[in-house]
Amino acid sequence: MERSWDFPGFGPLTRIETSFGDFPAQTLRERDSVRTQSGTLAQIRWLDRVTLNEDFLHHHPEAQPIVIPAHALGRGLPRHDVTLSPGQKIIAAGAMMPRREMTAAELLRTGKAIRKPETIVTYTFLLCAQPVHVRVEGLFAPLEPPRW
């Protein structure tokens, strides 16, 4: 049985909606404003990037990124491919998926996402002053403190 990877995070090119438009996660900084599910803006208060190297990924394949292909959850959901840490939650509300919070790993098990093996990957973790759901290519992702 495969171990689970519970850490949330966004792949480097996954675009998150900000006050200036959609930007790759790898370009975001503390104090940038992200668009929430309600349409309001929330300021990033804490941000970290974790890079997993080839040796780590070899010994922990469950940490390999998961891609939700464009339109895999219905027309325009997501608008473009979204790369996530297996532990990142999203709300998928397409015609092909019930509206509920799921991790990327759960979407992989349903066949709506694919594993994208890499030799190195960097995940971006971010938090705002309060828990919010941010807009990610037509999907919504909760930003909440992880339960580590």
Side-chain angles (χ1 to χ4, degrees), residues 110-126:
T110 68
K112 302 291 183 192
I114 57 173
R115 182 81 68 183
K116 185 179 181 222
E118 297 283 355
T119 55
I120 190 168
V121 65
T122 299
Y123 293 124
T124 298
F125 307 89
L126 33 124

Side-chain angles (χ1 to χ4, degrees), residues 17-145:
E17 191 173 335
T18 72
S19 57
F20 295 105
D22 293 347
F23 281 87
Q26 68 187 6
T27 66
L28 297 177
R29 302 166 300 177
E30 288 182 13
R31 295 187 299 282
D32 283 347
S33 294
V34 291
R35 183 84 50 199
T36 69
Q37 184 174 7
S38 67
T40 61
L41 293 171
Q43 191 177 70
I44 297 171
R45 293 288 177 94
W46 178 85
L47 181 141
D48 196 12
R49 291 189 174 86
V50 174
T51 300
L52 307 178
N53 65 21
E54 185 174 11
D55 185 58
F56 184 90
L57 291 168
H58 174 74
H59 290 93
H60 299 278
E62 72 279 5
Q64 287 281 0
I66 293 175
V67 175
I68 305 168
H71 313 290
L73 306 177
R75 185 179 171 99
L77 292 175
R79 291 188 299 264
H80 298 96
D81 290 358
V82 171
T83 303
L84 302 170
S85 163
Q88 178 62 53
K89 295 178 184 176
I90 62 158
I91 293 179
M96 299 168 65
M97 295 294 298
R99 182 177 176 83
R100 71 179 185 95
E101 201 170 89
M102 302 177 76
T103 65
E106 289 173 311
L107 280 171
L108 180 67
R109 288 191 290 275
T110 68
K112 302 291 183 192
I114 57 173
R115 182 81 68 183
K116 185 179 181 222
E118 297 283 355
T119 55
I120 190 168
V121 65
T122 299
Y123 293 124
T124 298
F125 307 89
L126 33 124
L127 292 173
C128 297
Q130 68 283 341
V132 296
H133 287 75
V134 293
R135 296 179 183 200
V136 181
E137 295 293 351
L139 305 173
F140 301 102
L143 301 183
E144 53 194 18

